[in-house]
Amino acid sequence: MFSFGNKKSKASVLEDMANKQLRYDSLVRAYHGEIFRYAYWLIGDKQIAEDVVQEAFLRAWKSLDSLKDEKAAKSWLITILRRENARRFERKQFQYSDVEQETLEDSTSLDLESQLERNQIRRQIAKLPLEYREPLLLQVLGGYSGDEIAQMLDLNRNTVMTRLFRARNQLKEALENPTEFRGSQNG
């Protein structure tokens, strides 16, 4: 019969497992909301975003020992989420439609005009090409600097800054001239 050793090593293994579980639980509590919000903005579908976030946190659990700097946890999770989202496209080709995207319920009560404005902004951001949308969301939702975004996206900082500039300009133009922008998108 195979033996794992004495009681002290068993206790050490159990303690390590408990510590990993506590560390993981803390990570989920601290970042789940932000990671989901980013995923929803990136993907545009609540159910798919939930699935991708769940897969990302599963991968985070499996590789939790590789997270050495707790201060980097949020960007580490976003990197995992981005890779998980990319895997989604490797596995399956999706058919997209022009169906309105559902909005997340906010706990604050906004008047109708504010809700309409937010929905319009969300729709216009969702229409931005991914290369512009992704850095913009990392900056606006994640609060990351150009250098941090460049590192996460594995891009040159100048490229990130150019994409952020173009994203803001395209968004501004779309919001100021919604009919012109819509016509230019239809080709």
Side-chain angles (χ1 to χ4, degrees), residues 28-45:
V28 172
R29 274 193 306 278
Y31 297 111
H32 185 273
E34 292 177 71
I35 299 300
F36 173 75
R37 189 169 37 257
Y38 176 74
Y40 178 73
W41 275 92
L42 184 66
I43 296 166
D45 181 284

Side-chain angles (χ1 to χ4, degrees), residues 21-157:
Q21 184 66 48
L22 287 172
R23 190 172 171 214
Y24 177 76
D25 290 345
S26 296
L27 194 68
V28 172
R29 274 193 306 278
Y31 297 111
H32 185 273
E34 292 177 71
I35 299 300
F36 173 75
R37 189 169 37 257
Y38 176 74
Y40 178 73
W41 275 92
L42 184 66
I43 296 166
D45 181 284
K46 187 176 180 182
Q47 282 78 28
I48 294 173
E50 288 171 350
D51 291 345
V52 171
V53 168
Q54 185 175 3
E55 289 297 319
F57 274 104
L58 178 62
R59 286 195 186 273
W61 165 259
K62 291 177 181 177
S63 61
L64 190 59
D65 294 334
S66 70
L67 177 62
K68 302 299 181 200
D69 182 5
E70 300 296 325
K71 293 176 186 169
K74 186 175 171 184
S75 60
W76 179 71
L77 287 169
I78 285 178
T79 300
I80 293 171
L81 178 98
R82 288 183 64 249
R83 288 180 183 151
E84 198 55 41
N85 187 44
R87 281 186 193 91
R88 181 171 69 95
F89 291 100
E90 292 170 1
R91 291 189 295 260
K92 181 178 180 182
Q93 292 297 318
F94 292 92
Q95 297 297 319
Y96 291 97
S97 66
D98 294 327
V99 176
E100 285 292 318
Q101 296 184 8
E102 65 182 86
T103 60
L104 288 175
E105 292 299 319
D106 198 347
S107 60
T108 60
S109 65
L110 298 173
D111 62 3
L112 182 58
E113 190 175 319
S114 296
Q115 287 178 355
L116 291 173
E117 188 176 291
R118 287 179 74 182
N119 288 340
Q120 182 183 13
I121 292 170
R122 282 186 174 151
R123 280 193 302 274
Q124 295 303 336
I125 289 174
K127 290 178 183 178
L128 291 173
L130 183 62
E131 68 184 277
Y132 299 138
R133 184 175 65 234
E134 195 168 25
L136 182 65
L137 293 175
L138 285 169
Q139 184 181 56
V140 173
L141 294 178
Y144 292 104
S145 70
D147 291 330
E148 292 168 323
I149 295 169
Q151 184 179 0
M152 279 188 268
L153 300 180
D154 196 28
L155 295 171
N156 178 297
R157 182 184 184 281

